Amino acid sequence: MEKPVIIGAGMVPVGEHWRVSLRDMATEALLNAMDDAGIDKVDSLYVGNMASGSFIEQENLGALIADWAGLGHIPAVKIEAACGSGGAAVQEGAKAVMVGLEDVVAVVGVEKMTDAWPTDATRYLGYAADAEYELFHGASFVALNALIMRLYMKTYGYTEEDLAYFSVNAHRNGAKNPYAMFKREVSVETVLKSPYVADPIKLFDAAPMCDGAAAVIITSKEKARELGVPKDKMVELAGFWRAMDTINLANREDFLTLTAARVAAEKAYEMAGVTAKDVDFFEVHDAFTVMAALSLEAIGVAKKGEGAKLAKEGQIAIDADYPIQTMGGLKSRGHPVGATGVYQTVEAVLQLRGEAPDGIQVPDAEIGLTQNIGGTGSNITVNILRRV
């Protein structure tokens, strides 16, 4: 079965878009992607979104965005997989093309979070956990991740300073990304002096609440050639998979292993015919610094317990062995939850085309990996992209 290709990519800057609606952000990103692909129509639309019904009291996003963008009477649907909704939507669009149901598919990831009060937004994000057995007892989403971070440090002997290097790296790269929410570098001292939000997680260990939208256009190689898309504008979705784990942390066999990420990565590597050693850069889900460490371990980049060591030793920088968060990741670019997986995909496309901003282009990049987490690791996608 022929692998699909991405022929168009678009996004809007991540931030607090007080005067822009969800439908306008999504439509702008979508039209940017269609313009990049050189097309004026698509066969279907998949929308990655986590919680529009809670954040802005609007569901049925497929119809909303297809209508607003003037796409006509095409099928359109929202894909929800918590914070992993964007990565899941990309996979669903790819599947539709691979089985031949649709020729040209649009995937949009969008979330508008800042219209809600922060306390309400915290509750909505918590819906990605187990409402009956975790939220009911007062465990917020950041608190659950704080438990993981505390155990990680205790088990492997790391300090808060060791994990701070993930944030420093993300901001160093994000400072050069015009679409990032926080375009400034930070020091280890800045991270350590930031206030605690849930001990040991500090403000600069966590990704911000924000708004954003990103989009990609997916088709087959045959259709891409028919549309006249140059080969150097095509990026192949070489391998992808999605896997689950228990939604409740207490039911996990190992709190410090992202089993769903490991399974998804293994399947994606197999589908792409590559290993972690073949990948030139990694866009992992650093909603919290500890999740970046656990992600590197789960996808086979670091041995168990050594993810934070890579950051501390500088091995995750653009010019190092394992570049991650090449355009700022969730921490610096921002984490508009349902859109994040599509932002990762757009950024990977730009890297593989050689179109990343100056200073953060990975040299001679041919293969990239994106990893998008839903919940505390209960629903994880891994996508491997390759230059055609």
Side-chain angles (χ1 to χ4, degrees):
M1 188 178 293
E2 189 179 51
K3 307 288 179 62
V5 291
I6 295 172
I7 60 170
M11 53 186 167
V12 301
V14 179
E16 296 181 340
H17 295 301
W18 302 106
R19 298 180 180 275
V20 183
S21 69
L22 179 146
R23 72 180 76 193
D24 288 330
M25 285 194 303
T27 298
E28 181 179 348
L30 172 59
L31 295 180
N32 286 343
M34 292 174 67
D35 182 64
D36 185 50
I39 60 174
D40 58 9
K41 63 180 181 179
V42 296
D43 296 321
S44 67
L45 171 67
Y46 292 86
V47 181
N49 175 269
M50 174 180 169
S52 61
S54 298
F55 280 117
I56 64 166
E57 299 182 343
Q58 174 70 62
E59 289 290 4
N60 199 11
L61 293 190
L64 178 80
I65 296 166
D67 175 31
W68 205 244
L71 299 183
H73 304 291
I74 64 168
V77 66
K78 168 180 168 176
I79 304 296
E80 187 275 310
C83 307
S85 299
V90 171
Q91 292 188 355
E92 294 307 308
K95 290 176 188 176
V97 169
M98 288 181 72
V99 299
L101 284 175
E102 294 153 354
D103 286 334
V104 183
V105 168
V107 178
V108 176
V110 63
E111 203 81 56
K112 184 132 177 55
M113 306 171 70
T114 61
D115 285 358
W117 290 104
T119 50
D120 289 336
T122 298
R123 185 172 78 256
Y124 303 153
L125 291 173
Y127 294 166
D130 190 320
E132 188 173 0
Y133 288 96
E134 292 176 323
L135 297 189
F136 179 80
H137 297 284
S140 69
F141 199 60
V142 66
L144 293 170
N145 281 272
L147 292 173
I148 296 171
M149 182 170 169
R150 176 66 67 192
L151 182 61
Y152 186 80
M153 293 192 300
K154 180 179 180 180
T155 301
Y156 300 117
Y158 290 117
T159 64
E160 294 177 19
E161 179 177 341
D162 295 331
L163 287 160
Y165 287 98
F166 283 109
S167 182
V168 171
N169 176 74
H171 277 266
R172 182 189 304 119
N173 296 338
K176 300 178 180 68
N177 177 7
Y179 290 88
M181 183 174 184
F182 298 127
K183 292 183 281 291
R184 63 176 181 272
E185 298 190 30
V186 300
S187 65
V188 170
E189 290 73 24
T190 298
V191 178
L192 295 179
K193 289 180 180 179
S194 63
Y196 286 103
V197 290
D199 190 359
I201 292 177
K202 298 168 293 303
L203 184 65
F204 274 79
D205 284 305
M209 293 183 186
C210 49
D211 310 322
V216 292
I217 306 300
I218 305 174
T219 189
S220 65
K221 291 187 180 76
E222 181 181 357
K223 185 65 176 180
R225 289 189 288 267
E226 181 184 318
L227 292 169
V229 179
K231 183 179 178 181
D232 60 4
K233 294 284 283 187
M234 302 182 202
V235 171
E236 182 183 70
L237 271 164
F240 54 88
W241 203 262
R242 186 161 71 252
M244 305 296 119
D245 202 347
T246 66
I247 193 169
N248 189 326
L249 271 182
N251 291 337
R252 300 268 172 91
E253 293 182 8
D254 182 355
F255 287 1
L256 299 181
T257 297
L258 292 176
T259 302
R262 177 181 59 77
V263 172
E266 288 173 353
K267 292 284 191 179
Y269 288 139
E270 181 181 358
M271 182 177 176
V274 301
T275 69
K277 293 180 180 179
D278 299 312
V279 179
D280 297 302
F281 63 93
F282 305 83
E283 301 299 339
V284 297
H285 190 102
D286 62 331
F288 302 97
T289 49
V290 68
M291 279 295 157
L294 292 178
S295 295
L296 289 174
E297 296 167 20
I299 63 178
V301 174
K303 294 180 180 178
K304 187 171 174 59
E306 295 187 3
K309 182 180 178 182
L310 291 185
K312 186 177 181 181
E313 294 178 349
Q315 296 187 61
I316 61 173
I318 289 288
D319 57 354
D321 291 335
Y322 308 104
I324 73 168
Q325 318 312 78
T326 63
M327 298 195 194
L330 285 64
K331 177 64 192 73
S332 178
R333 178 241 296 132
H335 180 30
V337 286
T340 287
V342 187
Y343 271 100
Q344 291 176 323
T345 306
V346 170
E347 291 162 355
V349 167
L350 295 179
Q351 286 286 359
L352 295 170
R353 288 179 177 176
E355 297 174 357
D358 291 342
I360 49 176
Q361 173 68 57
V362 177
D364 303 316
E366 293 188 4
I367 299 175
L369 180 148
T370 69
Q371 174 243 14
N372 194 195
I373 299 177
T376 52
S378 58
N379 192 337
I380 301 180
T381 68
V382 172
N383 296 330
I384 297 174
L385 298 91
R386 178 163 47 205
R387 189 171 64 191
V388 174

